[in-house]
Amino acid sequence: MRRLIVIFLSAGLMSACAPRGTVIVDPAAASVGSVQTVYIATTRGPDPESGEPFGAERSKETRYVRLGVAVPPVRGLGQIEWPRPHARPDPVHDFLATERDILSGPEAFRATLSQQFRHKPAGKRDAVVFVHGFNMTFAEGAYRLAQLGHDLKLDSVLVHYSWPSRGHPLGYAYDRDSVLFARDGLQDLLEQVSAAGADHITIAAHSLGSLLTVETLRQMASSRSSSAVWRKISGVILFSPDIDVDVFHEQAAAIGELPQPFVIFTSKRDKALALSARLTGERERLGNIDGADEVADLAVTVMDTTAFSTGAGHFDAADSASLLAVLGQIATAGGVLEGDGRVGLLAGTVVTVRNATQIIMTPVAAMSGMSN
């Protein structure tokens, strides 16, 4: 227990030293960076202390936002730089918002999305719905999706579900409860995106956001009213899912036939999930399982990114420049988002264990893929 307290205090100190993400609007940044538009549904309430419109409080009302994010021209692949406190924002190096338009309600949200889908040919009106993880502010989740959309060159409408995370390393219990609170809001968002005209919806979730996503899918699977939306879900991607392995099996059994492809990014060097497992009295979480044999009865693809893990290793697919280069090629080619979810030897060694497929990604494969 002493060791856990030290780890938590260290995490708190590191978080205090590094600037936390806040939305700073600078329209002039649009002429410097590459603007990614993110459409957001959020069940965050206002912050009573700072006055920010989207804080950590839970809100029964879902609000909708269109956020323009300028990705700066000078940055490393996978990196998000925040303006330093009390320093002038630098659009050459810092992520900045070019606009923050709080929409009037769900009708305005659907109308805004519909305009974006109409610019795309029928059958290719794709949306990526991103669900952030533990210890995230409103800005951090939205900017992460903008970074992924930019770095992976995604040709999809970017939609973010911002559920009420405490945004603090000691807020794990609050965030776990918020996951249960936020399920109806995520289901409603998927229904809104479908009604706006999306042909295909890919759900991408990180950490505790994965638990929220699978719980919502379980909820939707038992509701006939969600059948139209369900048919449009063309893939689910869980990055470092913070889910108990036994719980995931029960969730999958309740869902029945999983949306395909169903991809799970794992790393045996994920320090955050190792700590989460200890806190819950388990050996591991879904995001740091030893291999695909632990989910062999399920139609899933396990992408093992252990070889790319550095630091906390909790979001390699977004942070690692070399892994992003490989994933960018896969996304451009449609690899992991089509068919049975396999991407061949581009990513590394492919192992099939009953219904599950494991792809062990390696830096050697990354260099080989980048040279082709």
Side-chain angles (χ1 to χ4, degrees):
M1 181 58 66
R2 246 184 240 161
R3 179 183 172 89
L4 291 179
I5 291 173
V6 170
I7 291 172
F8 270 132
L9 287 175
S10 299
L13 288 172
M14 287 187 292
S15 176
C17 294
R20 294 305 302 262
T22 58
V23 174
I24 297 177
V25 179
D26 180 4
S31 63
V32 180
S34 173
V35 177
Q36 299 284 310
T37 302
V38 178
Y39 300 90
I40 305 167
T42 181
T43 47
R44 293 175 181 264
D47 187 325
E49 294 183 4
S50 68
E52 281 293 313
F54 309 107
E57 299 298 319
R58 300 172 185 141
S59 172
K60 293 181 181 180
E61 176 191 5
T62 300
R63 291 183 293 166
Y64 303 91
V65 183
R66 180 178 59 207
L67 189 71
V69 180
V71 179
V74 179
R75 55 180 281 269
L77 200 65
Q79 293 182 356
I80 298 178
E81 295 292 338
W82 299 95
R84 291 284 168 181
H86 312 298
R88 184 175 181 178
D90 178 8
V92 175
H93 299 92
D94 299 336
F95 274 66
L96 294 167
T98 59
E99 63 171 345
R100 179 173 60 186
D101 184 11
I102 300 177
L103 304 175
S104 59
E107 295 82 6
F109 181 69
R110 287 196 304 273
T112 303
L113 283 180
S114 294
Q115 290 179 356
Q116 297 305 305
F117 289 132
R118 280 198 291 268
H119 293 315
K120 298 178 179 293
K124 294 188 176 181
R125 293 166 180 167
D126 301 338
V128 172
V129 175
F130 177 63
V131 185
H132 69 77
F134 163 64
N135 185 22
M136 281 277 150
T137 67
F138 175 84
E140 287 166 349
Y143 283 25
R144 177 60 79 183
L145 177 55
Q147 174 254 314
L148 285 169
H150 179 271
D151 289 351
L152 295 177
K153 298 178 174 61
L154 298 180
D155 186 23
S156 303
V157 176
L158 304 179
V159 183
H160 178 43
Y161 182 55
S162 185
W163 52 276
S165 165
R166 179 63 74 191
H168 193 282
L170 298 182
Y172 188 76
Y174 180 87
D175 283 13
R176 284 286 295 270
D177 288 343
S178 286
V179 161
L180 301 179
F181 170 85
R183 290 173 296 184
D184 290 347
L186 177 55
Q187 178 174 340
D188 180 71
L189 171 60
L190 294 172
E191 292 170 353
Q192 298 283 0
V193 174
S194 173
D199 295 319
H200 308 103
I201 301 172
T202 298
I203 306 173
H206 177 233
S207 184
L208 270 183
S210 300
L211 178 61
L212 169 54
T213 295
V214 183
E215 275 293 297
T216 302
L217 292 176
R218 175 178 178 162
Q219 176 174 292
M220 293 175 62
S222 63
S223 172
R224 292 186 178 181
S225 63
S226 301
S227 58
V229 182
W230 193 268
R231 288 193 295 269
K232 293 185 179 184
I233 298 177
S234 57
V236 176
I237 305 172
L238 306 182
F239 297 102
S240 308
D242 190 356
I243 307 177
D244 179 276
V245 179
D246 293 334
V247 169
F248 180 66
H249 277 90
E250 289 300 307
Q251 291 170 321
I255 291 170
E257 186 175 346
L258 294 174
Q260 292 299 314
F262 199 104
V263 183
I264 303 169
F265 278 82
T266 69
S267 170
K268 290 184 277 292
R269 296 178 184 168
D270 191 321
K271 297 177 182 177
L273 290 184
L275 177 57
S276 176
R278 291 189 64 184
L279 289 172
T280 53
E282 299 290 338
R283 181 173 60 89
E284 60 191 1
R285 308 296 280 173
L286 181 61
N288 63 349
I289 55 176
D290 286 334
D293 56 325
E294 299 193 45
V295 288
D297 56 320
L298 304 175
V300 300
T301 298
V302 177
M303 305 282 282
D304 187 335
T305 64
T306 302
F308 292 88
S309 293
T310 59
H314 193 46
F315 207 167
D316 297 328
D319 297 328
S320 168
S322 53
L323 182 53
L324 274 167
V326 173
L327 293 178
Q329 289 189 359
I330 294 171
T332 301
V336 78
L337 301 181
E338 294 180 358
D340 62 1
R342 301 189 190 185
V343 294
L345 295 178
L346 171 67
T349 305
V350 179
V351 180
T352 301
V353 186
R354 287 170 59 196
N355 293 331
T357 298
Q358 181 171 7
I359 301 174
I360 304 172
M361 306 186 75
T362 65
V364 174
M367 288 186 288
S368 173
M370 288 193 298
S371 64
N372 291 337

